Amino acid sequence: MNIIFLGAPGSGKGTQAQKVALENSICHISTGEVLRKEIACGSDLGKTVQEILKKGELVSNELVLDLLRNFLDTHKECKKGFILDGFPRNIEQAEQLDNFLLENKTKIDYVILLKVEDNIIIDRLSNRLYCTTCSLTYNKYTNPPQSSGICDKCGNELIIRNDDRPETVKTRLNIYHSQTEPLIEYYKKKGLLVGINGNQEPENILSEILGVLQ
Ligand code: AMP
C-alpha cells in the first residue's frame, strides 16, 4: 500500500504518518525530515538547503525528487509500501512522482488530506516542540512532554524548529495555499483523495485513517 499524506504544515501529517506506517508495517518517508538530517550532519547538501528551510521556502523539485529516489534505493523495505509525508508539494512534483511510479510499475492507493484551519495551524506551530533525535513532536499545552523540554522517548532536549517561528510560518502557509493546495483537485480527479478532519483528538484521527485504509 502506497499513501500520500497531504495537508498544511502543522496539520498532523508527520505524527499520523509515523503511526499509520507502524500499524501497517510500511515505510514513512518525510522529505522534510530527510532534509533536516542532511542539515544536522553538515553535509554539502545540508549546507545548500539550510537557508531555504530556515526561510520556509521550498527546495528545488529536482533536488527533492533526487532525494526521494535515493531514499527508495537505499531502503528496499519501502517496496512493501510507503507513506509520503511532505511530498509532493506542487503539481510539477506530483507529475514527476506519477512518472516515477509508472517507471517502477507501482501506484498510489490513497491520498489522505488532513484538513485544519489556518488559525489553528498558527496556534499549533507556535507551541510545537521537536526532538532532533527521534523526530517526535509535542505541544507545550495540549501534548507536553512528561519532563519539561525533554523528549519522553529518547531523553534528548526538545527544540523549537527554526521554521516554526511566526514570520516563517506565514511564508509556509502562503506556499501551502498557492502551490500545494492545487494537489487536492489533482488527486480528487484521480479518485484517490480522502479528506479527514484534522482538528480532533489524534487518536480519533488515527482511527478514521485506519478505517479508510482497511
Ligand atoms: P516539512 O517537515 O514537511 O514541514 O518540511 C520542512 C521544509 O523542508 C519545507 O518547508 C521545505 O523547505 C522543505 N521541503 C520538504 N519537502 C519538500 C518538497 N517536497 N519540496 C520542496 N521542499 C520541501
Side-chain angles (χ1 to χ4, degrees):
M1 185 156 51
N2 299 325
I3 310 165
I4 292 173
F5 271 47
L6 206 58
S11 59
K13 293 190 304 294
T15 306
Q16 294 298 333
Q18 272 183 353
K19 292 180 181 163
V20 173
L22 204 65
E23 282 283 335
N24 289 282
S25 306
I26 55 177
C27 278
H28 171 209
I29 310 171
S30 157
T31 42
E33 206 49 53
V34 176
L35 289 164
R36 278 187 290 278
K37 297 282 179 222
E38 290 290 334
I39 295 172
C41 76
S43 69
D44 286 345
L45 172 64
K47 285 179 193 142
T48 312
V49 297
Q50 193 163 18
E51 281 308 304
I52 303 177
L53 264 81
K54 197 171 166 190
K55 284 192 268 179
E57 292 167 2
L58 296 185
V59 305
S60 77
N61 293 338
E62 293 70 33
L63 194 149
V64 82
L65 190 75
D66 271 359
L67 276 183
L68 179 65
R69 281 181 191 277
N70 186 45
F71 190 97
L72 292 170
D73 269 355
T74 51
H75 296 75
K76 297 290 180 210
E77 67 276 20
C78 295
K79 284 203 185 309
K80 280 196 291 178
F82 56 76
I83 298 180
L84 290 177
D85 159 15
F87 184 92
R89 255 176 154 100
N90 56 36
I91 296 284
E92 200 182 326
Q93 289 183 9
E95 288 169 352
Q96 287 171 338
L97 176 65
D98 283 346
N99 292 337
F100 174 80
L101 294 170
L102 204 66
E103 278 165 29
N104 287 278
K105 301 188 175 54
T106 184
K107 62 178 177 52
I108 295 297
D109 300 291
Y110 294 98
V111 177
I112 305 286
L113 169 67
L114 291 178
K115 296 186 283 185
V116 181
E117 284 158 21
D118 279 11
N119 57 334
I120 296 169
I121 294 282
I122 292 166
D123 190 55
R124 277 189 193 176
L125 292 184
S126 59
N127 295 308
R128 180 157 83 167
L129 297 169
Y130 169 71
C131 176
T132 50
T133 309
C134 71
S135 314
L136 267 187
T137 56
Y138 298 82
N139 183 289
K140 280 186 210 162
Y141 303 105
T142 57
N143 175 31
Q146 279 165 11
S147 169
S148 175
I150 303 292
C151 179
D152 294 347
K153 190 174 162 198
C154 62
N156 275 359
E157 206 174 322
L158 300 171
I159 61 151
I160 296 173
R161 260 172 59 175
N162 246 337
D163 55 353
D164 279 349
R165 301 186 188 279
E167 53 298 353
T168 316
V169 167
K170 227 169 137 191
T171 307
R172 289 163 71 204
L173 272 175
N174 284 341
I175 292 178
Y176 174 73
H177 290 306
S178 60
Q179 298 198 36
T180 312
E181 235 167 33
L183 293 177
I184 296 176
E185 210 41 51
Y186 184 88
Y187 287 117
K188 214 185 252 177
K189 277 192 190 137
K190 289 180 183 281
L192 295 175
L193 194 88
V194 181
I196 304 266
N197 173 8
N199 187 22
Q200 41 176 341
E201 290 302 318
E203 309 79 63
N204 297 347
I205 301 175
L206 179 64
S207 70
E208 272 197 38
I209 298 173
L210 295 178
V212 168
L213 304 182
Q214 255 171 14

